[in-house]
Amino acid sequence: MKFYAHSRDDQQFQLLKVHLEGVAEQSMHAAEVFGAGYLGYLVGILHDIGKYSSEFQKRIRGANIRVDHSTAGAKWIVQSEVIRKYLGETQFDHRMARLLAHIIAGHHGGLQNYGTMDEAGTLQYRLGMEKIPDWSYSWREIEINERDWSNEKVNLVSGWSKEDLAWNYSFLGRMLYSCLVDADSIDTRDYCNREDRELLNMRQAISMTEMYGRFEKYMSEKLQNIQNTRINQMRQQILATCARQAETTPRLFSLTVPTGGGKTLSSLAFALRHAAAYDKRRIIYVIPFTSIIEQNAEQFRTVLGKDTVLEHHSNFNQEEYEENYGRDEARRLKISSENWDAPVVVTTSVQFFESLFSNKRSKLRKLHNIANSVIIIDEAQSLPRGYMKPCMKALQELIAAYGCSVVLCTATQPSWSGLGIQVTEIMDTPTPAELVEVFKRVEVEVSGSDNQVTADDKIVEWMWEAEQALCIVNTRKHAKVLFEQLSERKVEGLYHLSGRLCARHRSAIIAEVSERLKNQEPCRLVSTQLIEAGVDLDFPKVFRAYAGLDSIAQAAGRCNREGRRESGRVIVFYPEKHGMPSRGWLKETVIEAQNTIKYHKGSPLSLSSIRNYFERIHGICDGRVEQVTDSKRIMQLLRSKNTNLEIPFEDIAEDFTFIDGQMKAIVVPYDSHALQLIEQLRTSPYPLQVMRQLQSYTVQIYQHEYREFLNKQLLMNVEGVLVLLENGYYHPQTGLLAATDEPEMDVLLF
């Protein structure tokens, strides 16, 4: 009898022996990057050994039955005689075998909690199962290679400590799981989909040295065409310092450069040269805001070439990419996004950090390709406070055990030392303090005192009087109220930005605003805080509702950005009730910003003020660091497992969630292209591709809003996608209306 692993559309079958040996080899090579090659081999050769059962062979030949094929290898590897033969005699070897069992048992469904014998869906329950399909025929075809892995084991765990044992152990588990599931996916894909295999084989490998050469050529041409201003001279100094400091040995770096200092390209210079010097495999850019990730990725493509950059985030527009770069390139990008197989990866904070703590196959598959990379954490201060400690711990682990270098890149660095984190600042000459003085292009003033409220009509008056001005507020409601009051005055050049607009709509408005500013035309923009990061706009005057000092600093970055004026004005005001939540994170940041401004000497945006603000926010001032920066007690949970290493992988993944999943995404028919995509969704054989294209037409709404839209029958489910049914509920300037609002018109789209 021949034993098969997979079947193809042409009714051909892949031999199981070939699949197991192929996955074992690929998994081993992937794990060798971080010194765990033999463990990678073992999980690879054992993961599908249960497919040697007659039941599974009936299934693959067409029988409509379910067969457990992943418990077999997990149960086998934890037998004492097996552990002694392949791993060793110690208790730690037994624990390591159990980690391999976690990986093998969960290679389809995800890493499970260790759990208990009587708790279904846990590893211990799986290991206690007595009746699983017989797979003993495997030993007639498969032979497990024995290898003395004692040296590998010593090197692998040399940096582990008793205090962090469960942390190190669980992190290794996710990395090995990633090696297995990626190897499994690739081997299956290469057999079942020859077109994709050939497409990927056509790729031309490119070295970091070659990419740095492209970067230098681009910058040389760019610098020939810029004005010789003091700001541009300083940007060149920042660039030169980053290139020089790239020779520093791998570690945790910080890059403190004021807004407008060119830190995106300077950090890229550091990453490329550092990667070339220390033979790093790839560069990973981690960006907090989807509103700026696309422009950064496109800038990197312009500098380095389209063949180098992988853009992986929820708003990626595959159709537009295909139009610009071709079908094959778009297909290669889609395949590569599954495991981050590209020289430069641009992704989101949510995607990056949630993957590091996930238990799911789809999220963990790419994890092993993070090893031996240069990681740039852009706007590092924006990491959610409640997850700051586990995030930083993960970055330190990637440096210590997985060969990475990490750069914490921001204009407003938190107090890393106060959080117990040692960093090396890249900017030694000029220093961050000197840069603050050079890039000081605005004066910040606070309107009124303490909590004295600035009425909406006063803000409207300010905007009316200004020829060009930006007003940034904290809530969508406040933005809409101010916009409507300004509209009543028929203010020229008036625009609105908020999360009620889909990404396509926001991009169109930003382009129009940029053109009006460039042409010195009247332009007034009312926006929520989404405007504060990465949007290259330059207003002479900015009004900012009270927020955290880091947000105020970001707002200041949209004022006199290019230094064309002697000084810009940033006016901070305390808004009316609908512009200031009564509690929660935003309210807390406002209180601490007010305390810093009131009690700390110096400019509100000085480095010392920013440091004082973050020391308050992160609980450093009152000794609450642990409580504040690990609000879900993830580190505490892992420490409690140091003695038994019974890791609750599922519980940790559930606790580590940056974004509350209680919001719903609905697609708005913003333009004719959106309508075409919605129609395609009904009939497309590849609905996921259409869904990706529709992401730039989505708006997030709260659960109570969702219920209101359903009650008024304003939503339609199209192949699992919620679509707005009436275009009257999408305002051409302010975006999605509430279901309780009166629509602009009553025109059915379908």
Side-chain angles (χ1 to χ4, degrees):
M1 179 180 180
K2 290 186 177 180
F3 290 85
Y4 299 128
H6 302 102
S7 61
R8 217 162 49 196
D9 290 342
D10 60 3
Q11 301 304 307
Q12 296 298 306
F13 292 86
Q14 182 186 31
L15 291 171
L16 180 52
K17 181 178 187 292
V18 172
H19 174 64
L20 289 176
E21 291 176 346
V23 172
E25 183 177 2
Q26 289 194 67
S27 179
M28 178 181 69
H29 287 321
E32 282 173 345
V33 174
F34 50 90
Y38 187 55
L39 299 180
Y41 164 79
L42 288 175
V43 294
I45 201 70
L46 292 171
H47 79 289
D48 274 354
I49 202 110
K51 288 185 177 181
Y52 274 102
S53 70
S54 60
E55 289 90 338
F56 184 86
Q57 292 305 309
K58 290 177 183 177
R59 180 182 183 278
I60 202 168
R61 286 167 169 82
N64 186 21
I65 56 176
R66 296 187 64 183
V67 183
D68 176 357
H69 71 272
S70 56
T71 301
K75 284 176 64 69
W76 186 81
I77 194 64
V78 296
Q79 296 177 77
S80 295
E81 62 273 18
V82 172
I83 298 171
R84 284 195 298 270
K85 182 176 182 179
Y86 294 100
L87 294 174
E89 300 277 354
T90 68
Q91 183 189 52
F92 185 77
D93 293 315
H94 283 256
R95 299 279 175 78
M96 195 60 73
R98 195 171 70 196
L99 187 64
L100 303 187
H102 261 297
I103 295 162
I104 296 164
H107 76 270
H108 282 298
L111 290 167
Q112 299 169 305
N113 289 341
Y114 179 74
T116 61
M117 288 286 291
D118 58 354
E119 191 178 358
T122 65
L123 178 66
Q124 194 170 13
Y125 179 88
R126 298 274 296 276
L127 296 179
M129 291 169 60
E130 295 182 3
K131 293 184 178 181
I132 62 171
D134 178 67
W135 51 280
S136 57
Y137 195 90
S138 61
W139 302 126
R140 301 188 188 184
E141 287 195 350
I142 296 296
E143 182 177 349
I144 310 298
N145 294 337
E146 295 181 50
R147 189 166 108 190
D148 180 7
W149 81 296
S150 54
N151 289 334
E152 186 176 281
K153 177 170 61 174
V154 169
N155 292 331
L156 188 65
V157 303
S158 61
W160 292 17
S161 66
K162 290 182 179 180
E163 294 77 15
D164 290 326
L165 192 59
W167 168 271
N168 303 134
Y169 177 84
S170 60
F171 208 99
L172 175 63
R174 294 189 194 92
M175 278 290 189
L176 285 170
Y177 183 90
S178 172
C179 294
L180 170 61
V181 298
D182 190 37
D184 187 23
S185 298
I186 290 172
D187 189 81
T188 304
R189 180 197 69 207
D190 285 354
Y191 181 78
C192 295
N193 192 330
R194 293 177 178 176
E195 182 182 349
D196 283 352
R197 180 185 63 193
E198 292 169 0
L199 191 63
L200 291 173
N201 288 340
M202 290 167 56
R203 288 184 304 181
Q204 298 294 316
I206 181 170
S207 69
M208 290 293 167
T209 301
E210 184 179 347
M211 284 200 296
Y212 188 61
R214 292 181 182 182
F215 176 85
E216 287 189 305
K217 182 175 184 294
Y218 172 86
M219 291 305 300
S220 176
E221 294 172 356
K222 178 182 174 70
L223 294 175
Q224 290 177 7
N225 299 316
I226 64 170
Q227 293 181 328
N228 188 29
T229 64
R230 188 186 181 206
I231 291 292
N232 284 332
Q233 289 172 2
M234 190 56 65
R235 286 171 179 159
Q236 292 178 55
Q237 285 190 44
I238 293 168
L239 180 66
T241 298
C242 285
R244 171 173 54 81
Q245 288 280 62
E247 301 296 329
T248 309
T249 54
R251 63 187 68 186
L252 181 61
F253 297 93
S254 61
L255 176 61
T256 311
V257 173
T259 301
K263 65 177 181 291
T264 299
L265 288 177
S266 293
S267 61
L268 180 60
F270 176 91
L272 288 167
R273 192 159 181 175
H274 187 77
Y278 293 98
D279 199 26
K280 301 302 179 189
R281 296 189 299 168
R282 58 182 44 84
I283 295 166
I284 301 174
Y285 260 85
V286 182
I287 299 174
F289 312 108
T290 55
S291 58
I292 63 172
I293 193 171
E294 291 172 345
Q295 67 185 46
N296 280 19
E298 190 58 34
Q299 184 176 29
F300 295 157
R301 287 190 197 100
T302 300
V303 177
L304 303 175
K306 69 173 194 264
D307 54 335
T308 63
V309 181
L310 166 65
E311 188 177 342
H312 189 202
H313 60 95
S314 61
N315 287 337
F316 177 70
N317 188 326
Q318 186 170 338
E319 183 178 81
E320 183 176 327
Y321 187 85
E322 185 173 323
E323 289 175 0
N324 292 333
Y325 298 107
R327 177 184 175 276
D328 286 351
E329 186 63 32
R331 181 65 183 165
R332 273 197 292 269
L333 185 144
K334 177 187 177 297
I335 299 168
S336 298
S337 68
E338 295 166 353
N339 65 352
W340 285 5
D341 184 14
V344 178
V345 177
V346 186
T347 190
T348 62
S349 299
V350 173
Q351 182 71 243
F352 182 82
F353 285 104
E354 287 192 358
S355 294
L356 291 173
F357 291 87
S358 181
N359 72 314
K360 298 299 185 184
R361 179 179 174 120
S362 59
K363 285 192 173 183
L364 287 175
R365 180 181 169 184
K366 57 186 170 287
L367 211 62
H368 71 95
N369 275 330
I370 296 176
N372 197 30
S373 296
V374 182
I375 304 166
I376 308 292
I377 309 296
D378 193 26
E379 304 296 348
Q381 85 289 343
S382 67
L383 291 175
R385 178 181 65 169
Y387 295 106
M388 181 68 79
K389 196 170 187 68
C391 282
M392 298 309 299
K393 186 71 174 176
L395 294 175
Q396 290 170 314
E397 184 76 4
L398 287 170
I399 295 167
Y402 298 93
C404 294
S405 279
V406 177
V407 181
L408 305 172
C409 187
T410 177
T412 51
Q413 294 280 3
S415 177
W416 301 121
S417 60
L419 295 171
I421 300 164
Q422 298 303 312
V423 300
T424 298
E425 173 59 46
I426 291 173
M427 293 309 304
D428 58 353
T429 307
T431 66
E434 291 169 336
L435 288 175
V436 168
E437 289 303 312
V438 172
F439 282 89
K440 186 178 180 182
R441 294 155 297 179
V442 303
E443 294 294 334
V444 178
E445 56 188 273
V446 178
S447 177
S449 58
D450 293 332
N451 290 348
Q452 181 181 340
V453 171
T454 300
D456 286 346
D457 56 4
K458 180 67 173 177
I459 301 166
V460 168
E461 197 64 37
W462 288 342
M463 295 288 283
W464 170 266
E465 293 172 353
E467 187 78 2
Q468 294 182 333
L470 166 64
C471 181
I472 306 175
V473 295
N474 297 320
T475 67
R476 295 173 177 180
K477 181 177 181 180
H478 197 192
K480 188 177 180 184
V481 166
L482 291 174
F483 178 83
E484 288 173 346
Q485 291 187 20
L486 285 162
S487 296
E488 290 174 1
R489 288 202 178 195
K490 302 190 184 307
V491 173
E492 186 180 355
L494 179 61
Y495 298 91
H496 167 277
L497 281 177
S498 79
R500 302 298 279 192
L501 280 63
C502 67
R504 279 290 183 99
H505 195 173
R506 293 198 302 267
S507 296
I509 288 175
I510 289 170
E512 204 169 319
V513 167
S514 179
E515 192 66 20
R516 291 188 75 91
L517 290 173
K518 179 182 175 181
N519 295 333
Q520 297 298 311
E521 297 174 314
C523 185
R524 287 94 167 180
L525 173 61
V526 180
S527 175
T528 59
Q529 54 265 47
L530 62 82
I531 196 73
E532 288 179 346
V535 180
D536 191 7
L537 297 176
D538 186 357
F539 285 89
K541 189 174 290 187
V542 172
F543 305 103
R544 182 56 167 102
Y546 238 121
L549 279 191
D550 53 331
S551 292
I552 294 172
Q554 291 284 4
R558 311 313 122 198
C559 184
N560 196 24
R561 186 177 180 86
E562 296 301 322
R564 296 188 181 97
R565 307 164 188 87
E566 186 173 334
S567 182
R569 289 185 68 195
V570 176
I571 300 173
V572 179
F573 62 91
Y574 199 93
E576 292 189 32
K577 187 176 181 179
H578 51 260
M580 179 62 68
S582 59
R583 60 184 182 276
W585 169 246
L586 179 59
K587 180 67 173 180
E588 186 176 343
T589 63
V590 169
I591 291 171
E592 297 303 353
Q594 289 178 311
N595 287 335
T596 297
I597 291 173
K598 186 173 183 179
Y599 299 113
H600 187 77
K601 294 180 180 179
S603 165
L605 301 186
S606 67
L607 289 181
S608 61
S609 292
I610 296 292
R611 190 177 301 113
N612 180 267
Y613 165 76
F614 278 117
E615 286 175 351
R616 294 172 182 272
I617 286 295
H618 290 143
I620 297 170
C621 292
D622 54 12
R624 296 184 302 121
V625 174
E626 184 83 19
Q627 175 186 346
V628 166
T629 60
D630 184 17
S631 60
K632 294 296 182 70
R633 301 292 183 265
I634 292 170
M635 304 302 300
Q636 182 179 318
L637 172 60
L638 281 167
R639 283 194 296 269
S640 73
K641 304 298 181 182
N642 279 336
T643 54
N644 59 27
L645 298 182
E646 296 176 356
I647 307 300
F649 284 105
E650 292 175 88
D651 292 347
I652 292 169
E654 186 176 340
D655 283 342
F656 195 95
T657 306
F658 270 17
I659 297 177
D660 189 344
Q662 297 306 305
M663 297 189 79
K664 290 276 189 180
I666 67 171
V667 171
V668 296
Y670 168 63
D671 56 22
S672 59
H673 183 228
L675 289 173
Q676 292 171 9
L677 290 173
I678 293 166
E679 286 300 324
Q680 288 177 27
L681 193 60
R682 300 173 186 274
T683 57
S684 174
Y686 306 106
L688 285 178
Q689 293 184 17
V690 182
M691 289 177 189
R692 288 191 185 98
Q693 295 171 47
L694 281 169
Q695 284 171 344
S696 60
Y697 292 102
T698 60
V699 175
Q700 298 283 335
I701 61 173
Y702 293 102
Q703 287 289 334
H704 72 274
E705 292 183 289
Y706 170 60
R707 289 190 293 270
E708 290 169 355
F709 273 96
L710 283 180
N711 290 337
K712 294 193 71 171
Q713 299 182 332
L714 295 173
L715 298 177
M716 178 173 55
N717 191 313
V718 181
E719 301 299 321
V721 174
L722 295 172
V723 178
L724 183 66
L725 198 57
E726 298 186 25
N727 65 1
Y729 281 89
Y730 193 82
H731 191 279
Q733 291 171 301
T734 58
L736 185 68
L737 304 178
T740 53
D741 289 343
E742 287 296 321
E744 293 294 302
M745 59 195 80
D746 191 22
V747 179
L748 290 178
L749 293 170
F750 304 99

